[in-house]
Amino acid sequence: MGREKDVKEDRKTKHKVTKLNMRPNGNEVAEAGGDSAKSTKSTEKTPNGKIKKIKAPKTEKLESPSNFSEPDDGNFTTKKKGVKRRRTKDEPADVPTSEALKNSSSTKRNGGKHKKRHHSEEESDGEPLKKHAKKKPKTDVKIEEGEQPVSKKSKKTKEEIKEARELKIRQKEEEEQKRWRWWEEEKYEAGVKWRFLEHKGPYFPPDYQPLPDNVHFYYKGEPVKLSLAAEEVAVFFAQMLDHEYTTKKVFRENFFKSWRREMTHEEQLLIQDLDKCDFGEIHAMHKAKVEEKRNLSKEEKLVLKEANQKIVEEFGYCTLDHHRERIGNFKIEPPGLFRGRGEHPKQGKLKKRIQPEDVIINCSRESCIPVPPAGHHWKEVRHDNTVTWLASWTENIQGSIKYVMLNANSKLKGEKDWEKYEVARKLKQHVDGIREQYLIDMKSKEMRIRQRAVALYFIDKLALRAGNEKEEGETADTVGCCSLRVEHITLHKQLDGNECVVEFDFLGKDSIRYYNKVPVISKAFKNLKIFMENKDPGDELFDRLTTTMLNKHLSSLMPGLTAKVFRTYNASTTLQQQLKELTNDSMVNDAEKLLGYNRANRAVAILCNHQRAPPKTFEQSMANLQAKITSRKEQLALAKTELEQAKKDAKVKGSSDPKLQILVEKKKAAVKRCSESLLKLEVQATDREENKQIALGTSKLNYLDPRISVAWCKRMGVPIEKIYNKTQRDKFAWAIDMTETNFEF
DNA sequence: GGGGGAACTTAGCAGCAATTAT
DNA sequence: ATAATTGCTGCTAAGTTCCCCC
């Protein structure tokens, strides 16, 4: 059925208000010198770039461009067989997308298994696969154990330390045994997410605790005892008083409106001006509480921790098809004042307390249905196994639905993630054709086709997001590719020695600024010029294009293909290619290898514009590190002279004295130790400096096929723990388990 | 073909926990 | 033992995509 839709796609056009003259010709002009189709495909290489993109609120544009990187993909021609679903190692190649399954309900792939109906294993999940389970866990995973504490606790005896270490290893093994190796099992039929689901329902935040009698709110200097509801909201505001945004106009106005809505009639009559409110005592009380909590004794903290642990034990897990799975967010979001990112028009509004009466529960009919808190009932209990959520409620700020779902290490999330990367890998086989096509489309007579082509070119080349339309006034003003406006780009016929440069400057997701100057092919450049003609800065650049149209087109080119697949594809491809470039077998030092890995990772983060605010203590900690390096250098110099001296002594006094020889050896070792440690520090400094404004986590977690990293680790002899922490290893357990050294994305 | 809802992924950051320095 | 620093986790906002309805 996907097919038919695709055919229609072409007819769809969006007629926006702004009408432009079509210039069927504008781009007919032959491609000027610069880039040609070819060059887009293969050459432009990666970033050397420093990023210059900066967080929105910052005022000025940043100077220089990042040299954006164009992922090179041309080389991955290797035919990956791919398509047979093998559920074991290496090349799991093909996780049928639910898409694909739907589309081809009758194709062989499905034919093979879809009848399997009942995941027989109900009683014996994983049984048939035991053998795998046995053999895997023995691999490198634990070799690294050694890097644990080892010393530090000088109190403990060696025995104890050893014991502790062994215990840890044992626990690890145990955990590994218990792990649900879902990736070795057959998939369910399309659309079915689970067969059995049982849980305890979400965990609700504690009720509001009224203020003690000695803490007052004042209006115009007079103490006012607020009603419970109004008081609670006042406290929300008071708690944030140190925060900058309680000074923002929009925030204050929204808050005040929300607050007044919670007041009694009398309170509304009395309290008319936020500026006349004094939350000082409440604020002070709050700070005191925080401080108090901070000063709790070890034991008290432990008690709290254990109490917390109990809650997690009870509410934090569910049973899904006979496996215990961790829930990602089992806690209902507590009420508070909404803080959107960027210039959010709704910042400061009251985010209401959620009651069980607002919550829909989803679980198996035959499961033990969660019991609502005493005196309450659920909004609804349903049994829908085509969705993955356990509970949901509607939030009052945007009116959107919030879900309780499983943790990233769960089968449900993991399988989807795997599938995502398989789709991206499939793009590899189509991408050349698609690129050729959009270059041709840039010459189309139809404006909408050319717009589509140029937009796709950006998405591919720059890894921009699709960019849906957003309702004005509901959210911060941010854009993505399809929603770019004329004001967001500037064309430069010539810039910094390059032809046809497009300067991007806009706020993207989370109001993160995207700033980039990019040389583009002249076909694209000429089209852009035309798209911008007779438009106001606030008009849409691609006024005949929507994400829906773009995605329809894409899915006609390859099943499962959407705009965001390009981001995944280009990110993963870049990582793989950068790893090849930046690391090699001759590297001996782990620190060195890791720097290479991080740099490859960084190239991706730059491509995807994953930024972070420079850590508050950045300068300081950088200086500290530098100081350490200096002192280590001195130490090294000293060690070297001592070594020379020792050598000399040894020579002069002859080899007669074995002590001198030993001394020489000792000094040698000291020099080595010292210089290694220096190298490590220097590498660390470089890494940190380069990472100042770049967040590696997002790409690592969401865009980089973990199998690339796992394979790299194996080839380079780097323990996986150096690259993935515990959480990440859990999330990527499937990849760690199945990936062979020779994996190619 | 557009609007809106539903479901799910992607995103940065605050605050706490673990680790290391003093 | 305490303070400073770093690393993670949890949180929840903000996207994308699909689908249904008109």
Side-chain angles (χ1 to χ4, degrees):
Chain A
M1 49 105 117
R3 288 290 131 70
E4 304 154 26
K5 272 199 223 147
D6 302 336
V7 179
K8 279 188 218 149
E9 173 278 322
D10 265 353
R11 257 174 286 128
K12 317 221 159 176
T13 319
K14 179 179 170 197
H15 293 294
K16 284 287 202 79
V17 229
T18 7
K19 261 304 169 49
L20 294 204
N21 310 343
M22 286 237 281
R23 289 299 192 66
N25 253 341
N27 44 353
E28 230 67 285
V29 187
E31 194 82 32
D35 315 41
S36 69
K38 289 279 122 61
S39 67
T40 17
K41 278 209 201 131
S42 50
T43 37
E44 292 155 82
K45 282 270 145 82
T46 63
N48 33 11
K50 311 262 113 176
I51 39 153
K52 281 302 145 137
K53 299 151 192 173
I54 270 269
K55 195 83 177 281
K58 294 265 162 73
T59 33
E60 233 55 69
K61 310 208 142 105
L62 264 280
E63 335 74 48
S64 79
S66 65
N67 286 329
F68 90 96
S69 63
E70 175 141 76
D72 173 337
D73 34 53
N75 6 354
F76 299 115
T77 31
T78 41
K79 282 272 137 69
K80 277 300 135 146
K81 287 287 56 150
V83 219
K84 276 314 66 117
R85 102 177 265 98
R86 311 209 244 91
R87 235 70 210 324
T88 25
K89 20 261 324 285
D90 184 16
E91 303 299 336
D94 181 55
V95 189
T97 60
S98 33
E99 258 297 310
L101 286 177
K102 273 183 242 158
N103 283 347
S104 63
S105 42
S106 59
T107 65
K108 60 274 170 113
R109 180 193 285 148
N110 232 3
K113 52 109 144 297
H114 93 238
K115 277 304 124 190
K116 78 164 167 303
R117 300 261 46 181
H118 273 194
H119 195 238
S120 47
E121 290 77 21
E122 292 288 64
E123 262 72 61
S124 61
D125 286 287
E127 246 18 55
L129 304 148
K130 263 305 176 31
K131 42 188 142 166
H132 289 287
K134 281 288 123 94
K135 94 170 176 237
K136 253 349 182 51
K138 315 240 101 122
T139 40
D140 20 30
V141 188
K142 55 202 43 142
I143 287 168
E144 263 311 294
E145 252 335 291
E147 63 177 347
Q148 287 319 27
V150 177
S151 59
K152 281 308 94 145
K153 303 283 159 187
S154 42
K155 299 232 170 111
K156 292 200 176 166
T157 69
K158 283 209 170 131
E159 281 306 299
E160 282 173 312
I161 294 168
K162 199 175 156 205
E163 226 164 82
R165 200 186 306 167
E166 276 170 2
L167 180 72
K168 228 172 177 180
I169 294 177
R170 235 174 300 128
Q171 280 175 346
K172 203 166 182 176
E173 255 161 20
E174 219 167 274
E175 200 176 302
E176 197 56 41
Q177 301 265 276
K178 271 197 305 198
R179 198 192 295 286
W180 181 8
R181 308 169 65 81
W182 50 261
W183 52 92
E184 291 171 348
E185 298 178 10
E186 294 256 341
K187 292 194 65 178
Y188 293 171
E189 58 269 43
V192 174
K193 304 290 168 61
W194 46 264
R195 300 188 192 291
F196 180 81
L197 175 61
E198 180 171 85
H199 57 93
K200 286 298 195 68
Y203 178 79
F204 286 86
D207 288 337
Y208 172 65
Q209 299 297 318
L211 291 178
D213 290 337
N214 61 337
V215 176
H216 305 98
F217 161 75
Y218 298 89
Y219 189 70
K220 291 188 181 169
E222 297 293 318
V224 176
K225 178 73 189 161
L226 295 169
S227 63
L228 207 63
E231 187 185 278
E232 181 178 11
V233 181
V235 171
F236 293 149
F237 190 79
Q239 286 175 345
M240 302 170 95
L241 237 32
D242 284 334
H243 222 291
E244 186 218 338
Y245 46 81
T246 52
T247 63
K248 286 181 149 190
K249 188 156 172 280
V250 181
F251 189 94
R252 294 176 68 88
E253 279 171 3
N254 282 332
F255 158 70
F256 198 55
K257 240 194 217 161
S258 284
W259 187 29
R260 284 179 53 81
R261 214 166 290 145
E262 300 300 310
M263 291 176 186
T264 62
H265 187 59
E266 294 74 45
E267 286 165 342
Q268 285 175 352
L269 285 179
L270 176 66
I271 302 169
Q272 310 248 12
D273 183 356
L274 181 54
D275 293 328
K276 299 198 170 78
C277 294
D278 175 0
F279 303 93
E281 285 187 10
I282 309 181
H283 179 61
M285 179 198 78
H286 173 249
K287 280 178 73 171
K289 265 191 183 163
V290 171
E291 182 62 17
E292 193 185 322
K293 202 176 159 201
R294 211 173 55 87
N295 290 329
L296 287 182
S297 72
K298 256 213 173 98
E299 295 73 38
E300 290 167 311
K301 278 184 179 165
L302 192 68
V303 171
L304 281 181
K305 195 176 168 184
E306 276 167 0
N308 240 331
Q309 211 43 51
K310 250 183 87 185
I311 295 173
V312 174
E313 271 308 306
E314 174 164 13
F315 292 91
Y317 294 84
C318 70
T319 305
L320 189 139
D321 296 338
H322 294 265
H323 292 272
R324 191 161 185 256
E325 295 258 59
R326 185 85 148 82
I327 300 171
N329 58 326
F330 60 91
K331 289 181 178 165
I332 295 281
E333 294 174 17
L337 302 183
F338 176 78
R339 170 58 178 163
R341 325 248 167 105
E343 291 305 315
H344 198 115
K346 298 194 173 176
Q347 65 190 99
K349 287 182 89 169
L350 172 64
K351 182 166 119 171
K352 297 222 173 106
R353 184 178 288 274
I354 302 301
Q355 302 292 348
E357 285 70 15
D358 303 316
V359 174
I360 303 175
I361 297 292
N362 190 36
C363 62
S364 284
R365 197 180 299 278
E366 64 277 17
S367 74
C368 173
I369 309 288
V371 181
H376 287 279
H377 61 268
W378 303 119
K379 179 177 181 182
E380 184 192 334
V381 176
R382 66 173 73 160
H383 313 287
D384 181 354
N385 77 345
T386 69
V387 295
T388 65
W389 52 269
L390 319 191
S392 73
W393 71 91
T394 302
E395 147 274 342
N396 68 299
I397 302 288
Q398 314 280 355
S400 65
I401 307 175
K402 301 263 186 164
Y403 301 92
V404 171
M405 288 180 183
L406 295 190
N407 189 276
N409 66 12
S410 62
K411 170 193 178 186
L412 248 25
K413 295 289 185 191
E415 204 162 54
K416 201 77 189 301
D417 210 35
W418 180 15
E419 189 179 299
K420 171 182 77 187
Y421 290 114
E422 286 310 311
V423 174
R425 290 176 81 199
K426 206 174 294 164
L427 174 55
K428 191 175 61 173
Q429 290 144 35
H430 296 257
V431 78
D432 289 343
I434 291 172
R435 287 172 175 167
E436 252 164 55
Q437 187 58 51
Y438 69 60
L439 290 176
I440 293 169
D441 284 348
M442 284 189 197
K443 297 184 191 157
S444 166
K445 284 201 284 289
E446 282 185 83
M447 170 86 90
R448 62 189 189 94
I449 303 285
R450 284 181 288 130
Q451 289 196 353
R452 195 180 68 195
V454 175
L456 185 50
Y457 171 69
F458 284 165
I459 284 172
D460 183 22
K461 187 180 171 82
L462 305 175
L464 299 188
R465 296 188 186 82
N468 285 301
E469 306 284 332
K470 308 171 36 176
E471 209 177 326
E472 213 172 326
E474 294 294 296
T475 62
D477 177 21
T478 63
V479 299
C481 186
C482 294
S483 50
L484 279 170
R485 298 191 297 262
V486 171
E487 61 195 331
H488 295 132
I489 66 169
T490 313
L491 303 182
H492 303 275
K493 193 66 221 153
Q494 187 91 42
L495 187 72
D496 306 332
N498 288 310
E499 306 266 294
C500 299
V501 175
V502 182
E503 181 181 354
F504 292 83
D505 191 355
F506 61 89
L507 298 186
K509 181 177 179 180
D510 293 319
S511 292
I512 297 292
R513 183 177 177 201
Y514 183 93
Y515 183 81
N516 203 356
K517 294 174 188 166
V518 190
V520 303
I521 56 173
S522 75
K523 267 193 283 192
F525 193 83
K526 284 169 188 154
N527 267 310
L528 287 170
K529 222 190 242 168
I530 295 164
F531 301 159
M532 293 168 78
E533 268 169 20
N534 302 318
K535 283 190 195 166
D536 292 332
D539 291 340
E540 278 189 73
L541 178 64
F542 301 118
D543 58 311
R544 320 235 171 142
L545 182 68
T546 64
T547 52
T548 312
M549 292 158 58
L550 179 64
N551 279 336
K552 281 220 174 115
H553 176 238
L554 289 175
S555 73
S556 78
L557 299 177
M558 182 194 110
L561 186 61
T562 62
K564 96 185 178 81
V565 177
F566 280 87
R567 244 168 108 78
T568 312
Y569 166 78
N570 280 318
S572 286
T573 305
T574 302
L575 178 73
Q576 183 165 61
Q577 178 252 339
Q578 286 288 294
L579 282 176
K580 261 183 203 159
E581 222 160 276
L582 299 173
T583 66
N584 60 64
D585 310 334
S586 68
M587 292 179 159
V588 277
N589 193 306
D590 267 8
E592 209 184 347
K593 297 177 190 173
L594 286 170
L595 177 62
Y597 181 87
N598 280 345
R599 282 183 161 158
N601 191 164
R602 199 140 49 229
V604 176
I606 290 170
L607 175 70
C608 294
N609 200 37
H610 291 142
Q611 302 188 38
R612 62 165 185 175
K616 286 187 192 72
T617 57
F618 185 83
E619 296 307 332
Q620 186 53 54
S621 82
M622 211 59 211
N624 290 160
L625 193 54
Q626 213 51 59
K628 247 196 254 173
I629 289 176
T630 314
S631 89
R632 188 53 49 89
K633 271 182 181 160
E634 282 162 9
Q635 213 179 323
L636 178 62
L638 180 65
K640 274 182 177 163
T641 22
E642 281 179 3
L643 173 60
E644 289 312 309
Q645 189 54 52
K647 274 182 180 167
K648 220 180 281 171
D649 289 355
K651 207 174 256 173
V652 173
K653 306 248 170 94
S655 38
S656 52
D657 191 348
K659 272 190 195 152
L660 288 177
Q661 283 307 328
I662 292 172
L663 189 65
V664 170
E665 290 312 311
K666 263 191 184 159
K667 292 295 174 192
K668 258 188 195 161
V671 167
K672 191 170 170 232
R673 223 178 318 120
C674 214
S675 72
E676 266 171 14
S677 136
L678 176 63
L679 178 69
K680 203 170 157 189
L681 283 176
E682 282 176 332
V683 161
Q684 196 186 347
T686 314
D687 204 33
R688 193 183 299 178
E689 182 67 50
E690 290 178 356
N691 241 10
K692 183 173 180 184
Q693 293 182 270
I694 301 171
L696 299 186
T698 306
S699 50
K700 200 184 248 188
L701 237 48
N702 300 301
Y703 288 104
L704 301 177
D705 189 329
R707 290 167 296 181
I708 299 171
S709 298
V710 173
W712 179 85
C713 280
K714 287 190 173 173
R715 285 196 301 269
M716 301 294 286
V718 172
I720 196 75
E721 286 84 351
K722 300 273 180 181
I723 284 201
Y724 291 140
N725 67 30
K726 179 80 170 78
T727 319
Q728 297 168 152
R729 291 197 301 272
D730 281 347
K731 169 171 179 171
F732 296 134
W734 59 273
I736 294 173
D737 182 61
M738 70 170 62
T739 307
E740 310 269 348
T741 0
N742 59 0
F743 174 84
E744 287 259 335
F745 177 76

